[in-house]
Amino acid sequence: GKEVIARGFGATKDKHALNQPNYNPNLPRFIQETSLRVDDPFACSARDKRPDNSMLCTKEIKLGSQTCIADSGRPIIFEKQNKKYLIGLVSWPPSGRCGFNEPNYLTRISVFREWIMNTMQFYENLPISEYITE
């Protein structure tokens, strides 16, 4: 039930028009921001059997203001006492749509924290030429 911030360059029009001729998702030129409410993944959709504990769910606070096409992988930030915490990455909407009071799934960062830390440590100890190619 906490409020979080989503930022990204995702579409500003609903995906339902994707198959329509001349669909334009209105990808913005400047980064967009919206506040969302985070919830348990099983609260996203009662009919959807795909969520598990590696996910979170976001729901709109302002009608029509949700993550959308091209926001995948974008950060979801929780702020507490002037500190910002990365809690999730935008993943996908259970209905395949965005906006219109539709929820969205996130990858829950805390589940992958150990893997992230180990991977960062591994690459930190390699010379840069080992993992950057020309």
Side-chain angles (χ1 to χ4, degrees):
K2 302 283 186 193
E3 190 172 316
V4 294
I5 298 168
R7 293 187 180 109
F9 290 94
T12 57
K13 273 180 120 176
D14 181 36
K15 184 183 172 183
H16 78 280
L18 187 62
N19 295 324
Q20 294 177 356
N22 302 320
Y23 171 67
N24 178 356
N26 286 348
L27 296 177
R29 291 181 52 208
F30 302 101
I31 195 164
Q32 305 292 300
E33 178 177 302
T34 191
S35 294
L36 302 168
R37 189 135 343 264
V38 70
D39 206 339
D40 182 271
F42 308 103
C44 253
S45 174
R47 298 178 306 270
D48 195 342
K49 303 299 181 214
R50 296 173 287 182
D52 61 33
N53 290 328
S54 70
M55 301 168 157
L56 291 170
C57 174
T58 56
K59 295 181 179 176
E60 299 172 352
I61 292 174
K62 179 182 173 193
L63 188 63
S65 186
Q66 174 65 287
T67 57
C68 199
I69 301 165
D71 279 326
S72 295
R74 303 291 182 196
I76 300 295
I77 307 295
F78 174 68
E79 192 170 337
K80 183 178 180 180
Q81 298 174 344
N82 293 326
K83 287 187 178 182
K84 294 179 180 170
Y85 300 90
L86 175 65
I87 64 153
L89 300 175
V90 176
S91 195
W92 46 275
S95 67
R97 294 179 57 186
C98 48
F100 297 101
N101 204 22
E102 295 283 333
N104 204 334
Y105 289 124
L106 309 176
T107 299
R108 185 189 304 236
I109 295 296
S110 62
V111 172
F112 299 97
R113 186 180 190 284
E114 185 177 338
W115 177 84
I116 292 167
M117 299 305 287
N118 288 339
T119 301
M120 287 172 55
Q121 185 176 13
F122 173 80
Y123 284 104
E124 183 178 280
N125 295 324
L126 287 178
I128 197 162
S129 62
E130 293 289 323
Y131 55 95
I132 295 181
T133 60
E134 293 183 29

